[in-house]
Structures are given as C-alpha cells and as structure tokens.
Amino acid sequence: GGSIKRTQMSNKKVFYYYDREVGNYYYGSGHPMKPHRIRMTNNLLLNYGLYKKLYVYRPTKATSSDMTRFHTDDYINFLRRVTPETIENFQRESEIFNVGDDCPVFDGLFEFCSLSAGGSIGGAVKLNKKEADIAVNWSGGLHHAKKSEASGFCYVNDIVLGILELLKYHKRVLYIDIDIHHGDGVEEAFYSTNRVMTCSFHKYGEFFPGTGDPKDTGSGEGKNYAVNFPLRDGIDDESYETIFRPLIAKIMEWYQPEAVVLQCGADSLAGDRLGCFNLSLKGHSSCVEYVKSFNIPMMVLGGGGYTIRNVARCWTYETSILLEEEISDRMYFSSSWNY
C-alpha cells in the first residue's frame, strides 16, 4: 500500500441493521429481486456465530419526511398510498413515477422501503455519533432510485438518504459502487457537489441503466467528483483488483474522505442470474477488505444480486471480513445448502 496509512486495526465496532420482516416482502412471481436473500444472509450470520460480535439493531422505519429529504413529496405520497388493489386508480402516477414491470407495486411496498432506508439512515447516525466504526445494512444499497421515480427494482434511495445524514458531520463522503450496474441514482443526486465523490465500477455498453460513461465526471462544483469505470463481460478477480486498488488508493489520497459508503451489489459475482462478470467470492470481498483497510468511518450496503444462495454467502463472508473473524470456507462450496 505505499505511503498511504493502512493498518490492520482490529476490534472495530460493527453495527448491523436487520428487521426480520424484510424477508417476507415479495416483488411477485418470476421477479428476480428477492428480499428473502436478506433473511438467508441473516440466518448464515447466526449459524456462523457472527451475531455475537455484531451490535445488532432493528432499524427505525424511515418516515415520509425522512424520505423527502431527497425524494419529492408527490412521489413519496404515491408510494405510501398505492397498493396492488388500488393501482388501477393510479394509472397516470404509475407512468410518471415509473412503477409497473421492473418496479411492481407489491404488498407492503412502502414498509419495505421504510426498513431499507431506516437501516441506512440509522447506520449513518451511529457513524455520526462515533458510536460505530462500521455500519452494515444488507437491505440497503438501492442505488437506482431517483428523486421522483422508481428504477431498476429500487424505489427509495436509502444510499442518498444515508449520505445526506453523514454530510451533517462529515465534510467529504466517498461513495464506491461494486454492483455490476452503474450507481446512477447516487451519482445523479450528488453530480454537482464536491462534498460527495462517487466512484462506480460497472458493465458498460448495452446494459442497464445505460449511464456511467467515463466521460461523465460531474458538473459545476462537482466537476471531477464523479468517477466511472466501465468494464466488459467476464472480468475476473485479478483484472478487477488491478483496477480497483490503485484507483481507490489514488482517490483516498487525493480526496481524503471523512466517511466512505460502499455498495456491495453481489450481481458482479460469477453465475449471477442477471450479471455477466466472473468475480469469485474472494475477488468481490477483497474490495470490502481493501476499503476497510483505510480505517475511515464506513457504511456497507447491499444492492443487486440475483443468484440468491451466492448473495447470502457473499454478504456473510463480507460481514466476517468487517469483523476480522475467520469463518470456514465450507459453506461457500456446499451445494446441499439450498432453499
């Protein structure tokens, strides 16, 4: 790691946000986004005894007024009111707010958003108060949601809400996104400010959401504070690491963030139902380990991930890295572990 201060400091306080209801929400038959993967992750954390090392919190549900720190009132009111039964009465709004196929209206949609956002806001508050060194919310990381529209399975942008909370106490926040999809909603929210630097590694070229061109670097005050690294199909651990580490090291040195938010979308893993990268568990989690090594207050979030047993393994393993607890490799290769 050169001259940059990186130490293996142990005994960080890791706060973990989880609500047992989260696994019950259901986007609908055939939909690739399955909140059940959050419950699978939680079960593995329990089975591995990692719970004993975590400060476990149940998130306080985010309110409408929490959400409208970023989103428009009209959009949040719509999410709060619409149900599968009443969607017929909301046809105009559904079109305007992009709710339908990819982003269906399902039972409990607003509560699901409240839990996801509540974990990210709550984690940010703990980091602000210096009670936590690391805050983890695997039900967060919903990076495509826009100010007044749903997109890419995301409705409320918990990441933007968490970063807005962090900005109350931190001059500069770095956002890093290793989901296979471009972190468009977060980039757009902070595109013209230098108080948040966004850095997204993603598949680019005929791939959702279509943004994330390396020429897009921010505007106004935020010029050069958005970094996009486009990648092609099949990238492996070694190639990813030779890109990720030097770039993050340089950003850390140049930007000197006071807090870092890492979106750990697991759809960049090999074998993902919607992804096309070739990262192993070790390659994905080494990004988490590297960001942690800078010893900056850190928020760790979920995101995409559609081969759900791999998602649960990945986020469990990454939690163990944050805790610096060795766990046996057995689960990662045991095929008996299926739901």
Side-chain angles (χ1 to χ4, degrees):
S3 62
I4 295 158
K5 208 163 74 249
R6 289 181 48 231
T7 55
Q8 289 315 110
M9 249 188 50
S10 196
N11 303 337
K12 287 201 182 340
K13 281 194 172 172
V14 182
F15 282 50
Y16 167 76
Y17 286 82
Y18 176 73
D19 188 295
R20 63 166 63 126
E21 284 303 304
V22 79
N24 296 330
Y25 296 100
Y26 186 56
Y27 276 63
S29 152
H31 197 291
M33 177 61 98
K34 301 193 187 305
H36 175 62
R37 66 206 178 121
I38 315 295
R39 180 163 48 205
M40 290 166 66
T41 304
N42 188 71
N43 288 343
L44 276 183
L45 291 173
L46 274 168
N47 292 342
Y48 274 88
L50 293 173
Y51 244 63
K52 294 193 287 288
K53 317 279 179 177
L54 292 164
Y55 293 78
V56 179
Y57 280 80
R58 194 171 171 186
T60 305
K61 287 185 176 163
T63 62
S64 294
S65 64
D66 292 329
M67 295 174 183
T68 54
R69 293 200 52 215
F70 171 56
H71 296 286
T72 60
D73 294 356
D74 285 352
Y75 175 53
I76 294 304
N77 284 334
F78 165 75
L79 290 180
R80 204 178 56 213
R81 284 160 48 226
V82 71
T83 67
E85 292 72 50
T86 62
I87 187 151
E88 264 67 72
N89 315 334
F90 288 98
Q91 275 177 325
R92 202 180 124 270
E93 288 96 328
S94 298
E95 273 180 44
I96 294 170
F97 300 131
N98 193 35
V99 165
D101 306 330
D102 270 3
C103 302
V105 171
F106 55 84
D107 279 323
L109 169 59
F110 187 76
E111 286 74 43
F112 173 70
C113 295
S114 296
L115 290 176
S116 164
S120 298
I121 296 168
V125 168
K126 292 295 184 195
L127 292 169
N128 283 347
K129 291 180 170 168
K130 296 189 162 46
E131 287 174 36
D133 300 302
I134 299 172
V136 180
N137 176 23
W138 295 125
S139 56
L142 303 179
H143 60 172
H144 297 306
K146 306 293 194 304
K147 190 183 173 80
S148 61
E149 65 175 84
S151 173
F153 319 156
C154 305
Y155 305 83
V156 169
N157 201 314
D158 65 285
I159 309 170
V160 171
L161 297 172
I163 291 173
L164 289 171
E165 185 60 41
L166 288 172
L167 287 171
K168 295 178 183 175
Y169 287 81
H170 301 88
K171 288 195 200 68
R172 291 175 305 284
V173 176
L174 171 62
Y175 172 70
I176 303 169
D177 189 317
I178 61 171
D179 190 293
I180 195 170
H181 300 97
H182 176 232
D184 57 343
V186 184
E187 177 185 276
E188 190 177 297
F190 299 112
Y191 204 61
S192 56
T193 176
N194 56 15
R195 291 196 57 205
V196 180
M197 184 159 189
T198 58
C199 179
S200 178
F201 300 83
H202 48 269
K203 154 93 167 135
Y204 183 67
E206 294 176 17
F207 199 68
F208 184 86
T211 48
D213 188 304
K215 291 198 288 289
D216 298 336
T217 60
S219 67
E221 293 272 279
K223 188 78 186 146
N224 299 325
Y225 291 89
V227 177
N228 283 301
F229 208 104
L231 302 163
R232 296 279 175 235
D233 290 13
I235 189 167
D236 61 10
D237 293 356
E238 202 183 345
S239 311
Y240 203 96
E241 186 164 304
T242 59
I243 291 160
F244 186 84
R245 293 199 170 205
L247 186 50
I248 296 306
K250 193 72 196 155
I251 288 172
M252 289 291 188
E253 186 180 23
W254 177 77
Y255 188 58
Q256 308 218 322
E258 294 184 351
V260 60
V261 176
L262 178 60
Q263 195 270 22
C264 300
D267 47 9
S268 42
L269 290 171
D272 187 77
R273 178 174 163 186
L274 300 184
C276 53
F277 283 179
N278 206 15
L279 293 183
S280 76
L281 202 81
K282 291 276 192 282
H284 196 274
S285 56
S286 96
C287 298
V288 177
E289 191 165 24
Y290 188 67
V291 173
K292 175 181 172 287
S293 72
F294 289 92
N295 294 312
I296 297 165
M298 181 175 179
M299 175 131 68
V300 179
L301 305 172
Y306 307 101
T307 300
I308 63 177
R309 61 181 184 278
N310 292 348
V311 177
R313 291 167 178 165
C314 182
W315 291 345
T316 299
Y317 190 60
E318 287 169 352
T319 306
S320 79
I321 283 175
L322 297 170
L323 290 166
E324 296 178 18
E325 286 291 318
E326 293 283 316
I327 60 176
S328 107
D329 265 357
R330 263 200 327 274
M331 80 172 181
Y332 302 115
F333 311 107
S334 113
S335 56
S336 60
W337 187 72
N338 274 318
Y339 273 69

